[in-house]
Every structure is written in C-alpha cells, then in structure tokens.
Amino acid sequence: MRDVIIAERLTKKFEDLTAVDGINFAIHEGECFGFLGPNGAGKTTTIRMIQCVSPVTSGKLKVLDMDVNKDQRRIKALLGVAPQEDNLDPDFTVFRNLMVHARYFGIDKTVAENKARELLEFMQLTEKSDVLIPKISGGMKRRLVMARALINDPKLLILDEPTTGLDPQARHLIWDKINELKKKGVTVIITTHYMDEAQQLCDRLVIMEKGKILVEGKPQDLIESQVGRGIVEVVNPEQGVEEALRSNGWALEKGSDRIFVYTNDRRSVREKILKDLPSANVIARDATLEDVFLRLTGRGLKE
Amino acid sequence: MSILRNISLRSLAVWSRNKDVFFLTWKTNFLPPFLEPILYLLAMGFGFGVLVNVLPAPYEKFSYVQFLGPGLIAISAMYGAFFECTYGSFVRMHYQKTFDAIVATPISMEEVITGEILWGATKSVINGTIVTLVIFAFGLATLPGVLFIPFIALLAGLAFAAIAMIFTALVPNIDSFNYPFFLLITPMFLFSGTFFPLTVLPVAAQDVALAFPLTHVATMMRDFSLGTYSYADLWGCIYLIAITAVAFYAAIYLMKRRLVN
Ligand SMILES: Nc1ncnc2c1ncn2[C@@H]1O[C@H](COP(=O)(O)OP(=O)(O)OP(=O)(O)O)[C@@H](O)[C@H]1O
Ligand SMILES: [Mg+2]
C-alpha cells in the first residue's frame, strides 16, 4: 500500500521548547490514522506541519509524495482540515462560510453551491444555512468545520479533535462520514481524547507524550501487547491487599481508589482474588485502549 | 525577492472576502465618508475659511474652501486604508482567526497580507471617491483632473495600507494602535498641507512635512482638483510608489515572522 505521509526524525522546536521530538511514522493510503496523547503532547503541532502551515524545524516530512518545504500550495489543495480551534468566519452565514472557503480553493461557484448544500444536508445544518456563525451552537460549529474541510473533496482529511463538544448523535454523524470517506479511499488523520472513538475509528494509531511517540500500532494489537486482553480491578482495596496480589507475580498498577491487574486470563485471576480475599470488590472486564493510554501516560498515582 | 514568488492572483480571493463583508453592511459603511466631509466643509471651509483672505502662490486664485476640499479627499484616503489595515486586519488576524483559516487552503500567507493591503487600498478609493463626489457637488473641483482622483486615492491607499500592516504585525494588542495613530497619523492629518499651505511653516518644518506621504497625496489631490499641476505631482507619485514597495516588503516579512511558526 502507498504511504501518503512519511515522517522521518520529524522535529519542531518553539524557541527552547521541543514540541515534536524526532518522530517517525508512515500513514497508508485509505486508512484512518490516530494521534493520541495527553494535552501538550505535540499532536496539533505535528498536524500543523503536515498541513504546511508550520515550518518543520528538522527531519523529513513528505505528504502525498511532495515535500512540505517546497510544494505547500499543491499539498494544501489536496487537504481538508478541521482545526482544533474553530476559525469559522463570524462575518458570514453558515452557507456563505462554505462558499467563501470554496473560493479560496478556486472552486467554481455552481460546483461549490451544490457541494455546500450537500454537505450541510449531511451535517444536518440545512436549517441553519442563513444563520450567522455567532448565532449557532458550539456543536453546530464543529459540524460546520467538518463540512468546510470537505468542500474541496480532499484526498487527505485532517481532523483535530473533531468530536469534542458534540452530542452523541452528532458524534455518530461524524463517524459515519469518516467511514464513508474511507470507503472512497480518502485517508483520514484524527486526534481525539475519546479512546472509545479512537478504538472504533482508527486502523492504526500512535500515542504521543512530550513530543515523542510512545507506541504505534493497531488498537487491538496495542491493547494485547501493552496491557493484555483483560483487566481485573480491585476497588477500594484494604491494607495489605496490594502485597497479597503482588505475591502472585501479576502485572499490577495502583490507581487512586483501586488496583488494576493486567492479564490475558481474567477469569482465573478474578477467581483467585476472590478465593484469597472473599470480601474484596472485584470487577473483571475487557481491556480497552483507555487502559493502554493510561498505563503508558500514567493513571495519576503511579508506582 | 523570494517573498514575491508566493504571491499570485489568489490574493483576490482574500480581497473578495473583505469586499463581501463590506457590502453586507454597505448602508452603514457609506454614510460616514459621505457626511464627514460635509461637516468639515461647512465648519472649516465656509465657517473658518471666511477669515482667510489670501492664499499664498500657487493658490492665490482660489478660495479657502477650494483649497480645503482636496485636502479632505487626501485625509479620507489615508484613514480609509490605515483604519482598515490596523483595526480591521488585526481583528481578522487575532480575534477571528480568519488568516489561519485561509492559509489552510492553497492561499499563502503572503497572499493573505497582499489581499488585505489591496482591500485597504480599495477602502481608500471608495472613501476618497465619495468625498470627491461631495466636493464636486459643491462645485469645488474641476473636470477633467478630478477623474484621476480615484487613482491617486489608490496610490495613497496602497502606501497607507502597507504602512498600517507593519504596525499590525508588530503591536502586542489592539490598544497599541493608539501609538501609530497619535504619533504618525494625527501629525500627518494636521501638517501635510491639508488645512493650510506648508509654505507658511518655517523651512525646517516644511522639510519634515515633505517626508510625510500624506503631503504628497494632498498636493496631488489638490493639483488634480484645481488644475494646478506641477512636477511635484510626479515626484510625489514616485515617492509614494517607493514607500509602498518598502512598506509592503517589510509588512510581509514582519507578518510572516509573527504568524508563521
Ligand atoms: N505557537 C507556539 N509557540 C510556542 N509553543 C507552542 C506553540 N504551539 C504549541 N506550543 C507548545 O507545544 C507543545 C505541544 O502543543 P500541541 O498543541 O501540539 O499539543 P496537543 O498534543 O495538540 O495538545 P492538546 O491535546 O491540548 O490539543 C505544548 O507545550 C505547547 O505549549
Ligand atoms: Mg491539540
């Protein structure tokens, strides 16, 4: 499969702060690729380099076989970007926002009108077509930002926290659109703080922290390799429980009000705990991407 | 001149965006440039002007109000671009994040700045033309010279828009525009041969005033309104073009330094 983005030792420095610290990754054509990581990890900075609005400090970055230092205009023509911060044009209505944006791409007016109507319809914003931006809700703005990103039929769609602040219906709308676009061969890059969303949408993802990539892979593979298939939680453990669990040689982590046991065989772990500690409050469940994230970036109280 | 390589006709999409916003609220936008010169003409021209008996050469044949009219056109051309590319551009850049939205499309930052400057200059042409119409209606300007005034306003607008954009690239916040307005624009407004001929000033002060772009704009406006052309108009034109070129280059350099990081 063709790689639409290749980053080698990609680095971004802001004065004395290294926001992106020599990362390597490749994004395949037609996949949904996620950038996860705590606030300030460097996700948005990486995305801004990909979209050619933030110059690369060092390293190599190729987008759609072009160099971000040389072919900015050609790259940008093929991208659709929904930025983290809404920058809709408050002087215009919903519909006019799409039209003005289309003009920046040099799209023919009648083509743009049809496309704008179609996108507003899909994002369920048709009713708001003639309303000024300051008068629509936050979630509507997010949906419009997404619609705007699609006005030029991009080959590569970049979504920086597209579902933050959306209601469940609207989130599903965005997910449907992403899946539809993937079927058409559009490559999607997404950042999100919702791990369930990343687990569902992303074919592959990276988890970043402090400008570095901690892990990279398919969500399910990461779950199995980083935490195991299952998790057993011992809620509000009494004194000495931790030592008792530890004596079994299990992989443990201590949270604020519970102890996590990482395992591939959660049934037997659960049974063993209940046998040793009959009064314990024990929950056994599937491990999720959230566990991977928290284990790698810290659950707060770490050992 | 690598900066110029990134500039194309796409700047016009940025210009069009601002034009569209302007015409959404055109009624409120056209009224002030129409009413203001009338107030000035009444107060300064027909009121204060009565006290003025003789103007120095080459304006000895003209009344004070005839002298004042073109000065008002020059002033409106200056303010049109300068307001637009300071407060207007700053709001779009800083508060509305419009520039960020535009550079995510095939348009470059250089083209955004160019489009803003072109729009600022357009405001000068619009305002200058409205004032010219008022003055023409009062019978204070003559054909055919008056027909060239919009072009002079364009020249002036480009210079003041580019200068304004330098300040927009430098100010930490919107209140800081008080400084260029107080230190640069107000002195120009008063001492550029707008309200009185510079020849009444001491020679040293005249020399300083010759450095003001508005001085040359006022001279050109007046000469084309009254038919008193001289070589000064040609030099003024060259001077304005030179200022525009330097300020444009500086504005783009400083704006990129501020925004591209
Ligand atoms: N223009 C800038 N100038 C200086 N520092 C910056 C700039 N932009 C980002 N940073 C810094 O770079 C680091 C990474 O920021 P970035 O916005 O990429 O994080 P993020 O992973 O997107 O976080 P979040 O989840 O909060 O959106 C942060 O420490 C941030 O303060
Ligand atoms: Mg971010």
Side-chain angles (χ1 to χ4, degrees):
Chain A
M1 204 180 294
R2 193 165 83 105
D3 285 334
V4 289
I5 298 187
I6 301 168
E8 283 169 20
R9 297 184 310 282
L10 181 62
T11 302
K12 179 75 194 186
K13 290 200 173 102
F14 293 112
E15 275 136 39
D16 50 356
L17 178 118
T18 304
V20 174
D21 195 358
I23 61 176
N24 300 293
F25 60 87
I27 300 179
H28 311 320
E29 185 165 26
E31 75 175 342
C32 179
F33 191 90
F35 284 94
L36 310 186
N39 293 138
K43 307 180 293 294
T44 299
T45 306
T46 305
I47 280 178
R48 284 170 48 80
M49 287 190 281
I50 294 173
Q51 63 168 124
C52 305
V53 296
S54 178
V56 170
T57 307
S58 67
K60 208 176 91 179
L61 181 58
K62 292 199 103 178
V63 178
L64 299 162
D65 292 325
M66 291 177 273
D67 185 339
V68 291
N69 296 315
K70 287 208 300 268
D71 300 310
Q72 284 123 338
R73 212 193 280 284
R74 278 167 63 213
I75 293 174
K76 289 198 289 181
L78 300 170
L79 302 192
V81 184
Q84 181 172 1
E85 275 184 63
D86 288 342
N87 53 21
L88 295 165
D89 204 321
D91 291 325
F92 291 118
T93 61
V94 166
F95 184 74
R96 205 67 188 276
N97 257 273
L98 296 182
M99 293 303 293
V100 170
H101 206 69
R103 189 165 58 195
Y104 298 142
F105 280 96
I107 300 170
D108 176 76
K109 195 164 170 222
T110 36
V111 175
E113 273 170 1
N114 292 332
K115 186 80 193 171
R117 272 195 211 97
E118 176 198 315
L119 287 167
L120 290 182
E121 187 67 39
F122 185 87
M123 290 295 164
Q124 298 179 8
L125 288 167
T126 304
E127 259 178 51
K128 299 284 177 186
S129 287
D130 298 324
V131 179
L132 284 170
I133 299 305
K135 293 190 179 154
I136 63 173
S137 78
M140 290 174 190
K141 285 182 194 156
R142 285 315 286 162
R143 271 141 63 192
L144 182 57
V145 167
M146 173 88 175
R148 193 184 63 178
L150 294 169
I151 194 79
N152 60 326
D153 282 319
K155 286 223 170 337
L156 173 62
L157 181 64
I158 302 181
L159 306 170
D160 199 350
E161 301 194 23
T163 58
T164 300
L166 290 188
D167 63 32
Q169 287 85 348
R171 278 180 80 189
H172 281 281
L173 209 65
I174 303 271
W175 295 358
D176 290 349
K177 192 73 193 176
I178 291 173
N179 285 322
E180 180 197 317
L181 290 164
K182 267 174 57 181
K183 285 206 195 88
K184 289 188 191 157
V186 175
T187 311
V188 181
I189 297 177
I190 186 170
T191 79
T192 176
H193 290 296
Y194 303 116
M195 294 303 132
D196 56 330
E197 177 168 286
Q199 195 170 340
Q200 274 207 33
L201 285 178
C202 297
D203 299 299
R204 291 187 312 130
L205 56 87
V206 293
I207 298 180
M208 294 181 72
E209 189 178 29
K210 298 201 178 94
K212 290 204 159 72
I213 291 179
L214 302 178
V215 290
E216 187 222 291
K218 297 186 164 98
Q220 199 53 42
D221 293 353
L222 286 176
I223 293 167
E224 287 176 24
S225 64
Q226 298 300 318
V227 295
R229 277 191 289 276
I231 298 235
V232 181
E233 299 178 13
V234 183
V235 185
N236 293 324
E238 285 161 20
Q239 281 284 317
V241 168
E242 194 184 340
E243 288 69 39
L245 295 174
R246 199 171 291 284
S247 64
N248 292 303
W250 292 329
L252 293 192
E253 196 167 2
K254 209 167 160 240
S256 54
D257 67 340
R258 65 195 63 198
I259 297 169
F260 299 88
V261 182
Y262 299 117
T263 172
N264 279 327
D265 183 4
R266 65 177 198 232
R267 256 191 54 207
S268 51
V269 166
R270 179 168 183 273
E271 278 162 16
K272 177 85 169 75
I273 295 174
L274 285 175
K275 205 171 104 217
D276 295 351
L277 310 157
S279 64
N281 180 358
V282 180
I283 301 166
R285 59 174 175 83
D286 280 341
T288 65
L289 196 58
E290 185 138 351
D291 297 302
V292 177
F293 186 93
L294 291 172
R295 187 163 195 206
L296 288 169
T297 60
R299 282 195 192 262
L301 282 175
K302 274 203 295 189
E303 304 184 54
Chain B
M1 288 288 208
S2 69
I3 277 176
L4 296 182
R5 215 182 43 215
N6 285 328
I7 299 177
S8 73
L9 284 178
R10 287 164 195 268
S11 303
L12 293 181
V14 181
W15 178 87
S16 298
R17 181 246 167 241
N18 292 341
K19 177 210 59 170
D20 289 352
V21 176
F22 180 81
F23 283 104
L24 283 176
T25 52
W26 67 273
K27 281 179 201 137
T28 46
N29 291 332
F30 279 116
L31 211 54
F34 178 72
L35 290 181
E36 211 178 46
I38 296 181
L39 293 178
Y40 269 101
L41 280 178
L42 292 177
M44 297 294 293
F46 297 108
F48 172 81
V50 172
L51 306 176
V52 180
N53 292 321
V54 212
L55 289 165
Y59 306 112
E60 63 274 15
K61 294 203 302 282
F62 301 101
S63 69
Y64 180 71
V65 72
Q66 280 176 305
F67 176 88
L68 175 69
L72 297 178
I73 308 174
I75 288 168
S76 77
M78 172 175 77
Y79 276 109
F82 208 82
F83 259 107
E84 189 60 38
C85 288
T86 48
Y87 291 104
S89 294
F90 192 85
V91 166
R92 289 188 283 276
M93 169 183 81
H94 184 74
Y95 295 104
Q96 302 187 174
K97 308 277 178 219
T98 309
F99 295 6
D100 291 348
I102 302 176
V103 296
T105 73
I107 293 176
S108 67
M109 187 60 85
E110 290 88 336
E111 285 159 348
V112 172
I113 307 309
T114 307
E116 288 281 315
I117 289 173
L118 288 177
W119 173 246
T122 306
K123 286 291 288 284
S124 294
V125 174
I126 295 172
N127 291 4
T129 304
I130 294 172
V131 179
T132 306
L133 290 174
V134 171
I135 281 163
F136 191 72
F138 274 89
L140 303 175
T142 51
L143 287 165
V146 72
L147 296 175
F148 291 91
I149 286 188
F151 296 99
I152 305 171
L154 177 66
L155 212 57
L158 289 170
F160 288 114
I163 294 168
M165 199 52 87
I166 293 177
F167 290 105
T168 302
L170 293 174
V171 291
N173 55 54
I174 198 161
D175 294 324
S176 309
F177 285 130
N178 285 335
Y179 291 102
F181 271 93
F182 182 69
L183 297 173
L184 191 67
I185 298 301
T186 306
M188 272 202 273
F189 166 75
L190 293 170
F191 295 101
S192 295
T194 39
F195 295 103
F196 56 86
L198 288 177
T199 44
V200 305
L201 291 177
V203 175
Q206 288 185 36
D207 290 345
V208 173
L210 274 180
F212 291 159
L214 188 61
T215 300
H216 303 279
V217 178
T219 304
M220 289 162 77
M221 293 290 188
R222 188 162 292 124
D223 289 346
F224 278 80
S225 298
L226 306 179
T228 51
Y229 315 98
S230 77
Y231 272 114
D233 300 320
L234 184 61
W235 296 127
C237 180
I238 291 168
Y239 184 63
L240 284 178
I241 290 171
I243 286 206
T244 303
V246 173
F248 178 70
Y249 199 84
I252 290 204
Y253 173 81
L254 294 169
M255 215 45 154
K256 282 185 74 182
R257 198 183 65 172
R258 176 176 189 137
L259 295 176
V260 180
N261 50 40

